[in-house]
Amino acid sequence: MRMNAHLILANIRPLPTVEAIDALAASLSSTEIQAAGSAAVALGRLSPTTPKAAERVTAALATEKVPERLVAIIYGIGEARSVAPSLIEGVTGKLTHVDSRVVFAALDCLRKLGPAASSAVPEIRKLAEQNATPGSLKAEIANAAKVALSRIEK
């Protein structure tokens, strides 16, 4: 039910109130990982036209320490499809995260955002061009980076 409420708030026109955005932002730190991801989708969709939404998700990207929640937030941003540049920058910063799940989520998110994520190309290219033993985690990351580049550079 909470996930549906997040998506409903994201589609309110005129734009949701500051209180509604704050309620969505509070869900970014929810212990329910799906709720955090759903809130990220809603706030991500609002971010191009609502600076406060972009600020709240950017802050969550910068401060979230729980990898599972961070992955959910990143995937949520990717599902939003069209997001503020600050969110693309925040996700790009996660390409060097110590947890490979976060790196894979960031690559997938940027892939989904497509050409809008072109500012991430230099960082993605570094991952795509890294030397790695075939079958290793590093090689899997390099392959995911190549897939992301193919979509972004269309």
Side-chain angles (χ1 to χ4, degrees), residues 114-115 121 125 148-154:
V121 165
R125 194 170 307 288
L149 285 172
S150 71
R151 172 74 172 96
I152 294 167
E153 294 182 320
K154 270 190 168 181

Side-chain angles (χ1 to χ4, degrees), residues 21 25 28 43 47 50-62 84 86-87:
I21 291 170
L28 292 171
L43 289 166
S47 70
T50 312
K52 185 163 182 73
E55 290 169 17
R56 297 304 289 267
V57 181
T58 301
L61 281 172
S86 63
L87 297 186

Side-chain angles (χ1 to χ4, degrees), residues 100 103-104 107 127-128 130-148:
S100 63
V103 175
F104 280 114
L107 286 168
L127 292 175
Q130 65 186 339
N131 290 324
T133 305
S136 69
L137 181 59
K138 216 174 184 182
E140 289 180 35
I141 290 171
N143 287 335
K146 290 172 187 169
V147 170

Side-chain angles (χ1 to χ4, degrees), residues 63-114:
T63 61
E64 183 55 59
K65 302 294 183 221
V66 178
E68 294 82 4
R69 192 166 25 249
L70 186 55
V71 165
I73 291 168
I74 292 169
Y75 275 124
I77 293 167
E79 291 303 315
R81 303 287 187 209
S82 175
V83 299
S86 63
L87 297 186
I88 294 170
E89 184 180 322
V91 171
T92 301
K94 298 306 174 191
L95 293 173
T96 57
H97 198 277
V98 63
D99 191 312
S100 63
R101 296 172 298 174
V102 174
V103 175
F104 280 114
L107 286 168
D108 190 56
C109 173
L110 295 166
R111 176 191 61 80
K112 287 178 180 176
L113 295 173

